[in-house]
C-alpha cells in the first residue's frame, strides 16, 4: 500500500483496528513468557494466532496487526526474519476472509516497553529498527504500526527506519498519567519531531493507555499535530491474571466503544483496542461506528 492510498482511506472515515493479540493469546494458554511474549505463539501455537485474527475480522476490523511485536533480531537473531514472515502470513490468511482488510506490521521498542532507561545507544538502535522494518516490508505488510514507544529518541529511530521502507507508517506512543511519555518527555514535542522527519508518519497517536484516560493524551497530540490523522487504541489496565483475562481497569465492550467514539472528534482515524481488549470490543465499536448491529465475534 502507498502512503497516498492510506491517506485516501483515512480521509473517508475511521478505520477500525483489531483488538489485543498478545494478552488474548496468553488468556488462551499460548506460550507467552518473556522476553519473546507473543512471538512464542507464532513459532509454537500458530493456530491460536490465526484464530484470534479470524475473530477480529469477523468482528469488523479493517486492519489486522501481525504478531510481530517481538519478532525482532535482538531477541531471535537469525530466526527473526522467518518468524516475521510466518506472523505476517497468518494475518494475511485471516484477512483474506473479507475483501479490503489490511495487514499492519507491528514495530515495538527493542527492549522493555515500560523501561525507557533500557533503550540501546543510537547506532545499535537504528540498526535494529532498520532490520525489523526491512523484514516486515519484505513479508508483504500493507503498513507499519509503531506501538507503545516510551521515549522520543526511540520513537524517532523507529519512524525513520519504517519510513525508509516506503510503506505508510502509523506511529503511536504510550504515556504516563500526566500525559508525558514514559521517559518524562513531552508527548507534543515528540509528535512534532516525528512530523518534521523527511518521511513523516501518515498518522500519529497513543496506545496502551487505559481507555478512560487515553483521550487526554490524544488531545495533546491533536494540538501538536493539527490536521494530521490520529490513531488511538487503549488498554484495560495492567494484567492481574492474564490467563483468566483479569485486568486492573476492566471495561465492558459497550463502555469501551463509547470511550473510543469520543476520540474521533479529536481527529482519530484509526481506532481499536490494545492489551486486555477482545473481539467483542471491536464488534461493539464497529456497531457504533457503522450504525449496525454488532458483527458476530466468536471467542473461545
Amino acid at each position: 500500500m502507498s502512503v497516498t492510498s492510506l491517506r485516501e482511506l483515512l480521509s473517508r472515515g475511521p478505520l477500525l483496528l483489531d483488538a489485543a493479540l498478545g494478552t488474548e493469546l496468553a488468556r488462551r494458554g499460548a506460550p507467552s513468557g518473556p522476553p519473546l511474549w507473543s512471538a512464542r505463539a507464532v513459532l509454537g501455537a500458530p493456530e491460536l494466532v490465526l484464530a484470534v485474527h479470524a475473530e477480529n475480522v469477523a468482528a469488523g476490523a479493517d486492519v489486522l496487526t501481525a504478531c510481530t511485536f517481538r519478532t525482532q533480531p535482538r531477541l531471535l537473531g537469525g530466526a527473526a526474519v522467518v518468524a516475521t514472515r510466518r506472523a505476517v502470513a497468518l494475518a494475511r490468511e485471516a484477512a483474506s476472509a473479507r475483501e479490503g482488510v489490511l495487514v499492519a506490521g507491528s514495530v515495538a521498542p527493542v527492549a522493555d516497553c515500560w523501561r525507557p532507561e533500557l533503550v540501546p545507544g543510537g547506532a545499535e538502535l537504528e540498526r535494529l529498527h532498520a532490520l525489523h522494518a526491512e523484514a516486515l516490508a519484505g513479508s508483504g505488510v500493507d503498513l507499519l504500526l509503531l506501538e507503545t514507544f516510551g521515549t522520543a529518541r526511540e520513537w524517532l529511530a523507529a519512524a525513520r527506519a519504517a519510513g525508509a521502507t516506503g510503506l505508510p507508517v502509523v506511529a503511536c506512543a504510550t504515556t504516563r498519567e500526566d500525559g508525558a511519555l514514559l521517559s518524562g518527555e513531552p508527548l507534543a514535542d515528540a509528535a512534532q519531531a516525528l512530523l518534521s522527519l523527511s518521511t513523516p508518519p501518515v498518522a500519529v497517536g497513543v496506545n496502551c493507555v487505559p481507555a478512560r484516560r487515553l483521550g487526554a493524551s490524544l488531545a495533546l497530540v491533536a494540538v501538536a499535530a493539527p490536521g494530521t490523522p490520529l490513531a488511538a487504541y487503549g488498554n484495560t489496565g495492567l494484567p492481574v491474571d492474564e490467563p483468566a483475562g483479569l485486568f486492573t481497569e476492566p471495561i465492558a465492550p459497550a463502555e469501551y466503544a463509547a470511550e473510543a467514539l469520543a476520540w474521533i472528534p479529536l481527529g482519530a482515524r484509526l481506532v481499536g483496542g490494545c492489551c486486555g481488549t477482545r473481539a467483542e470490543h471491536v464488534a461493539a465499536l464497529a456497531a457504533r461506528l457503522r450504525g449496525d448491529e454488532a458483527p458476530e465475534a466468536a471467542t473461545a
Side-chain angles (χ1 to χ4, degrees):
M1 165 171 273
S2 69
V3 169
T4 301
S5 296
L6 182 58
R7 284 187 174 138
E8 172 61 25
L9 278 177
L10 297 180
S11 72
R12 299 175 194 167
L15 289 180
L16 185 53
L17 298 170
D18 52 4
L21 183 57
T23 53
E24 184 63 12
L25 289 168
R27 192 191 71 83
R28 298 182 188 206
S32 58
L36 293 181
W37 300 109
S38 58
R40 292 186 186 278
V42 172
L43 301 172
E47 70 286 352
L48 288 180
V49 177
L50 183 60
V52 176
H53 282 322
E55 288 166 11
N56 278 273
V57 173
D62 299 310
V63 182
L64 290 181
T65 307
C67 194
T68 58
F69 194 85
R70 275 288 175 262
T71 62
Q72 299 171 353
R74 192 183 200 207
L75 298 171
L76 289 170
V81 172
V82 171
T84 296
R85 287 175 178 165
R86 288 181 183 174
V88 173
L90 290 167
R92 186 65 70 191
E93 181 179 348
S96 68
R98 195 176 79 240
E99 185 177 359
V101 177
L102 304 176
V103 172
S106 173
V107 178
V110 299
D112 189 322
C113 301
W114 310 107
R115 300 279 303 280
E117 73 276 11
L118 297 181
V119 176
E124 179 68 356
L125 193 62
E126 300 281 349
R127 184 185 74 84
L128 290 169
H129 277 297
L131 287 172
H132 192 43
E134 290 163 5
L136 285 166
S139 299
V141 297
D142 297 303
L143 65 145
L144 295 175
L145 180 59
L146 278 53
E147 306 187 278
T148 325
F149 282 83
T151 72
R153 181 166 69 89
E154 186 169 17
W155 207 17
L156 284 163
R160 281 191 292 268
T165 66
L167 289 170
V169 177
V170 175
C172 293
T174 193
T175 60
R176 310 184 311 192
E177 288 191 12
D178 62 2
L181 294 176
L182 297 183
S183 61
E185 299 165 283
L187 173 61
D189 290 354
Q192 289 176 335
L194 281 179
L195 295 173
S196 297
L197 293 174
S198 58
T199 307
V202 172
V204 295
V206 179
N207 80 292
C208 217
V209 169
R212 296 184 185 94
R213 70 172 174 85
L214 187 147
S217 292
L218 193 68
L220 297 175
V221 181
V223 172
T228 299
L230 304 183
Y233 48 115
N235 66 26
T236 61
L238 299 174
V240 176
D241 183 358
E242 280 188 340
L246 301 178
F247 292 82
T248 56
E249 296 191 33
I251 182 166
E255 184 188 349
Y256 187 91
E259 291 286 345
L261 286 178
W263 306 333
I264 293 172
L266 295 173
R269 292 298 175 267
L270 294 115
V271 181
C274 205
C275 294
T277 62
R278 305 183 65 193
E280 293 100 323
H281 295 80
V282 174
L285 184 51
R288 294 291 296 274
L289 283 174
R290 296 161 186 166
D292 302 322
E293 291 301 316
E296 286 296 322
T299 54

